[in-house]
Amino acid sequence: MQSIEQLNLNYGAILPEIIAAVTGVVCMLVDALLSKASRKISAGIALVGLAATLASVIGLWPVAVQGTEAFSGMITVDVLRLTFSIVVVLASIIAVLLALQFVRDEGLPPGELFTLIMFATTGALLLAAANDLVTIFLGLEIASITTYVMAGYRRNDIRANESSLKYFLLGAFSTAFLLYGMALIFGATGNTNLKAIQQVINAGNIGYPGLVLIGAAMMLVGFGFKVASAPFHLWTPDVYEGAPTLVTGFMATGPKAAVFAAFLRVFAVTFGSQTIPGVATSIGGQLHHNWVTALAVIAVLTMTIGNVIAISQKNIKRMLAYSSIAHAGYALVGFLTQDFAPVAFYMLTYTVMNLGAFAVIQMLARAGDVKTEINDYAGVGFEVPALSFPLAIFLLSLAGIPPTAGFIGKFYVFKAAWDASPTLHWLVVAAVLNSIVSVYYYIYPIVVMFFRPLAPGFTKPRVSGAVALAVALTLAGTFYLGILPNQLLNVFGGHAHSQGAVRQAMR
């Protein structure tokens, strides 16, 4: 039995998760004890809690640079965790701002939605902090279950009900793959701690190496579903289209970034190709070769399928769903450098521009998402310039047009992959070609907005101050990251210039 000292019960290491969880509980109690006019109160509590969560994440940075563990190694405090945690919290802040007008326009109970956002944030933060297969599963399920419910939050909408049910059923199926893969890894190595698993694999001290390969393959399927990579992406268009717009934007950014953090920690670090000097081993190198090859193929499929099918979409939410699939492929290109910095920065840029786009779409679509066909936006460009011009900028950023965040994000990922290994050059070329293809379907809504006649009966949408603030913040972030990215690039990449720096954080 471990002593208290060995358990290392350092609650400071999970302070962001504690703050987010307590804030969720407070939002729940406020909703239960106060009248229905508690929308602004719940939102205010959530925003204060998220601000405190963000401050606690930043406060852990001096410790993260050195790298430490807590709770018997189940939780880690390193730069990988904190960079992705920042993305998660920023996505949650924007989601809360958008939720303020959403619950008012839809006439839905506010407290539950803010509570769900906070618990989803808690799960995503725990997932990014996980250093153990058990903790990964716990964080993933907390984040997943809350987003299942959020997808069906518009209870009387058959599309939302279908979206939630489909997401739940397919999510449970993918979780079974992930959990069974974890069980096989545990059976082969005798450990659930990622550091211990890494040491066993590197030493070649495995009785049944085949279990590790099969387990890793099953975990790859599970993670592939969660990040919406091909061929595990089929749930994405229907779920994104049927879910409320703000939920679609949130699930495509914050929770997905946290999944990428765990995905990186398991594959790029734990299953990375590294051997202990003087010890003969083949399983580590074979495992590394297998997953790198598989992910390279998956990345190409993901980019190509997402971009090609997006061209034919007439619904803007479905178009952005396939766009998110393509962007997952771009992130996987950075994944293959086995360095977390390009992926983390890319997810930050994607979060800012994608949530900005969904914020505008939420306003133009109106209550019930009744206007989400691209043709519904015909002629609105000069009628509501405060919405149409930001949407045009967000779409251009998603396409990777300078001087926006999307351009710098793609450039950083592609440059990192090109410099990492000559074997990745073909993948970078494929990614660049896919980016060129994507320009067409991002430009099309802009053409419709500014160069088509206005539809009869159009009325200007009412935009609340919270939504205006969300649009302004994401727009500022899109330009800041595109024009002055150096400071954040240094923060995200300054402690992870190589694969070795990432692994050092694990030790």
Side-chain angles (χ1 to χ4, degrees), residues 243-279:
T245 300
L246 88 92
V247 176
T248 302
F250 177 69
M251 72 170 65
T253 52
K256 182 181 286 190
V259 174
F260 264 113
F263 200 175
L264 275 164
R265 198 178 295 280
V266 171
F267 280 82
V269 181
T270 306
F271 295 160
S273 180
Q274 181 180 1
T275 57
I276 298 176
V279 178

Side-chain angles (χ1 to χ4, degrees), residues 229 260 263-264 291-292 295-304 325-340 342-343 346 409-421 423-435:
S229 64
F260 264 113
F263 200 175
L264 275 164
W291 75 254
V292 166
L295 269 186
V297 174
I298 288 173
V300 172
L301 283 175
T302 303
M303 291 183 289
T304 305
I325 294 169
H327 282 278
Y330 301 141
L332 289 176
V333 174
F335 193 114
L336 289 168
T337 66
Q338 298 181 66
D339 184 348
F340 71 83
V343 183
Y346 190 83
K410 287 183 180 179
F411 177 80
Y412 187 26
V413 165
F414 298 165
K415 181 70 164 56
W418 187 273
D419 293 342
S421 172
T423 59
L424 295 179
H425 287 182
W426 70 273
L427 189 58
V428 175
V429 172
V432 171
L433 293 175
N434 268 282
S435 294

Side-chain angles (χ1 to χ4, degrees), residues 388-403:
S388 59
F389 278 91
L391 178 57
I393 291 168
F394 294 133
L395 291 174
L396 291 174
S397 183
L398 286 164
I401 305 298

Side-chain angles (χ1 to χ4, degrees), residues 10-18 53 56-57 60-61 63-64 68-71 74-88 124-131 257-258 261-262 265 340 344 502 505:
N10 179 9
Y11 290 98
I14 57 170
L15 185 59
E17 289 79 7
I18 291 174
T53 302
S56 65
V57 169
L60 288 173
W61 207 274
V63 179
T68 187
E69 297 175 353
F71 295 93
M74 297 186 77
I75 297 294
T76 186
V77 182
D78 58 12
V79 180
L80 188 160
R81 168 194 174 179
L82 298 192
T83 50
F84 282 95
S85 295
I86 289 172
V87 177
V88 169
L125 290 173
L126 183 61
L127 185 58
N131 195 40
R265 198 178 295 280
F340 71 83
V502 182

